[in-house]
Amino acid sequence: MPTSPVLWTSTKLREATRGELSGAVQVRGVCIDTRTLQPGDLFIALIGHNSDGHRYLKQALEAGASCVMAHDEAAIAEAGLTDDPRLLKVTDTMQALEDLGRYRRSQFQGKVIAITGSVGKTTTKNMLATALAAYGKVHASVASFNNHWGVPLTLARLPKEADFCISEVGMNHPGEIAPLAAQIRPHIGIISTIGNAHLGHMGSIDAIAEEKAALFAALPASGIALCPEASQGLARLKEALPAGVSLWQVGTTEKATIQLTDLTCTAEGSHLHLLTPQGETDMELTAPGPHLARNAALALGTIAALGLSPAAGAEALRHFLPEAGRGQQRLLPGNVTLLDESYNASGPSICAAIETLALMPAERHVAALGDIRELGAFAEAEHRALAGPLIKHDILTFCCGPHMKSLYEALPPSLQGGYAETSVQLASLLHPALKDGDALLVKGSLGSNMRALIALLEQPVTTTPHAPESA
């Protein structure tokens, strides 16, 4: 196996963090969790709500870390590392992680793209990373590393030889995007959607648009901002643009900078034709769903914003497949096709998933839905509003969670498959009800634990379990 290139040297670590490091080390990766640590990594002992990385300093070195960063002197002494040449001692590890990210960003000569959005930011990021690989070396956020530690970690891992850096930016409270965008300093900013995710914390769609607009406000005068032409809060996004920044809208009208034409969506995937300032291209996606086609258009629009012809990117996206929890399809025991959307949920993303489910050939279309979290006082109304799409597509629906009970009660009896308080309890209702040839959508917020339901569905039914009474 080839050795990873050196990412940080002792000199650069000291310069970036202003920390104390007596030894000569070579760092090939940056890690904050010993469970994912690779030999040659720098292990950073962050302090979180429920954990303290200082407890794992010795374990990190035993696992092959070339260097450990820490600030707790008592923990350092307890681990026997006070005079260890592999110890990078700093004033505060979280601040030092940000310092690493800022230092690496200041040295980077490639193009930097930042993506936020209520729905679709991770998939759009993954699509863009896939497409941009046709033009050069790409460094992108891992998974959904988009918060106060995920963004600087992405930057701290940025190889100097990369051509493109893609950073995802998340939020669920006011004031979170601006400081992250200031660290990223993007050349191009993308807002995938503005929707009702985190509505309970934010209070209104206008407040969400205001927060998302902070990404566009961070762009330089030569920057380009991209968003769907039908974005909610579009006026606020335009107001946030600094002088000289261009707004490229992606949509189906002639006014759109990136124009989708001939969009056709089937169970096998999507076809679309794209018109951009850098030329036009046809694109075939093997992953179904109109929302994925729109995400792909944003990704190819970004390639055009970089001054590149989108054709090679379109070809690279031809075989793009969503990740588990984000639209992946696979077969469950009993010949049931699973549409796995279990990672997270919002009203718009559930509606998009329902549209994709309806495209899938099946004897029956079935949905298992868990609560959408962080909606506050808007929860009951937002959940009940999902009844319309389910009724339209005649989807037999199973629900779990206190908020989803509102949706369940809004459905006609013919579409009420069963209700339970938790995802695990719902599995005992859903599992025996599934039939050969069904297509099943599973979706809910991360806190709804719909992954546990899928894990139970992946086990063959051997006996009929006792089911809780349905509502």
Side-chain angles (χ1 to χ4, degrees):
M1 180 179 295
T3 304
S4 300
V6 174
L7 189 62
W8 292 93
T9 64
S10 299
T11 300
K12 297 298 184 183
L13 288 172
R14 286 190 288 263
E15 285 181 6
T17 66
R18 299 175 297 282
E20 300 173 13
L21 174 63
S22 62
V25 301
Q26 291 187 329
V27 167
R28 302 182 187 277
V30 181
C31 175
I32 61 172
D33 187 336
T34 54
R35 292 170 296 184
T36 59
L37 188 145
Q38 298 295 315
D41 279 357
L42 163 67
F43 173 71
I44 302 177
L46 295 183
I47 298 178
H49 294 299
N50 302 310
S51 64
D52 184 349
H54 289 87
R55 295 169 51 197
Y56 303 99
L57 291 172
K58 189 173 181 180
Q59 180 179 329
L61 289 171
E62 290 172 348
S66 61
C67 182
V68 293
M69 179 197 292
H71 67 251
D72 186 329
E73 293 193 17
I76 292 169
E78 184 178 348
L81 303 178
T82 302
D83 298 317
D84 196 300
R86 298 168 294 177
L87 171 68
L88 172 58
K89 185 181 174 184
V90 296
T91 302
D92 178 82
T93 50
M94 186 65 236
Q95 181 60 53
L97 171 58
E98 292 181 7
D99 291 340
L100 285 177
R102 289 192 181 93
Y103 184 93
R104 183 47 52 91
R105 173 62 186 90
S106 70
Q107 303 293 310
F108 185 59
Q109 299 299 308
K111 292 295 184 179
V112 180
I113 303 110
I115 301 176
T116 191
S118 300
V119 179
K121 55 184 174 292
T122 300
T123 299
T124 302
K125 176 206 69 184
N126 291 341
M127 284 185 158
L128 180 56
T130 299
L132 271 180
Y135 305 86
K137 183 172 181 177
V138 181
H139 174 71
S141 305
V142 175
S144 293
F145 282 18
N146 59 29
N147 61 3
H148 67 287
W149 56 260
V151 166
L153 184 59
T154 297
L155 295 174
R157 291 170 166 174
L158 175 57
K160 59 185 178 182
E161 66 272 14
D163 299 296
F164 309 102
C165 174
I166 311 170
S167 183
E168 187 177 325
V169 186
M171 68 91 189
N172 53 24
H173 290 87
E176 292 182 334
I177 287 182
L180 298 178
Q183 294 178 48
I184 299 166
R185 292 165 48 208
H187 300 100
I188 295 175
I190 305 168
I191 296 178
S192 61
T193 49
I194 293 177
N196 59 12
H198 317 300
L199 190 58
H201 294 315
M202 301 299 295
S204 69
I205 291 293
D206 287 342
I208 293 171
E210 179 81 19
E211 180 64 17
K212 300 296 186 189
L215 178 62
F216 285 178
L219 293 170
S222 58
I224 295 178
L226 291 97
C227 69
E229 65 175 346
S231 292
Q232 297 186 80
L234 185 59
R236 179 65 196 97
L237 300 184
K238 291 179 178 179
E239 291 172 1
L241 296 174
V245 172
S246 301
L247 177 63
W248 287 23
Q249 296 180 56
V250 181
T252 58
T253 73
E254 293 182 355
K255 295 181 180 179
T257 317
I258 308 296
Q259 185 182 354
L260 288 78
T261 64
D262 303 325
L263 176 59
T264 304
C265 298
T266 69
E268 287 71 41
S270 300
H271 167 84
L272 61 89
H273 188 75
L274 208 64
L275 303 174
T276 84
Q278 300 298 330
E280 56 188 277
T281 187
D282 285 304
M283 182 171 63
E284 304 283 346
L285 280 178
T286 55
H291 63 297
L292 292 181
R294 292 189 290 268
N295 291 341
L298 273 170
L300 294 183
T302 304
I303 287 174
L306 289 165
L308 303 168
S309 169
E315 181 61 28
L317 281 176
R318 178 182 293 270
H319 300 296
F320 175 87
L321 292 174
E323 298 175 331
R326 301 182 185 277
Q328 184 184 87
Q329 293 186 31
R330 60 183 185 272
L331 207 59
L332 293 174
N335 194 35
V336 173
T337 302
L338 171 67
L339 177 58
D340 179 4
E341 286 272 2
S342 60
Y343 180 77
N344 219 334
S346 65
S349 70
I350 290 180
C351 291
I354 290 170
E355 291 292 326
T356 303
L357 176 66
L359 290 171
M360 297 168 61
E363 295 295 324
R364 297 185 307 172
H365 292 103
V366 184
L369 303 176
D371 275 356
I372 306 169
R373 301 293 184 92
E374 299 183 1
L375 290 177
F378 304 94
E380 182 173 348
E382 291 289 334
H383 284 79
R384 289 180 70 89
L386 298 170
L390 293 165
I391 293 169
K392 173 186 175 182
H393 294 293
D394 193 32
I395 294 174
L396 180 65
T397 305
F398 293 75
C399 295
C400 63
H403 300 314
M404 272 296 169
K405 192 168 187 180
S406 300
L407 166 62
Y408 190 77
E409 292 173 346
L411 293 170
S414 61
L415 296 184
Q416 291 180 329
Y419 171 82
E421 292 185 0
T422 70
S423 61
V424 172
Q425 292 172 333
L426 186 63
S428 63
L429 281 173
L430 177 60
H431 208 169
L434 292 172
K435 298 179 179 179
D436 186 323
D438 283 350
L440 169 69
L441 163 67
V442 176
K443 192 163 181 66
S445 287
L446 191 61
S448 296
N449 198 21
M450 302 307 282
R451 289 178 174 177
L453 180 145
I454 291 176
L456 291 169
L457 295 180
E458 288 174 331
Q459 302 173 11
V461 177
T462 54
T463 60
T464 301
H466 175 71
E469 184 178 348
S470 60

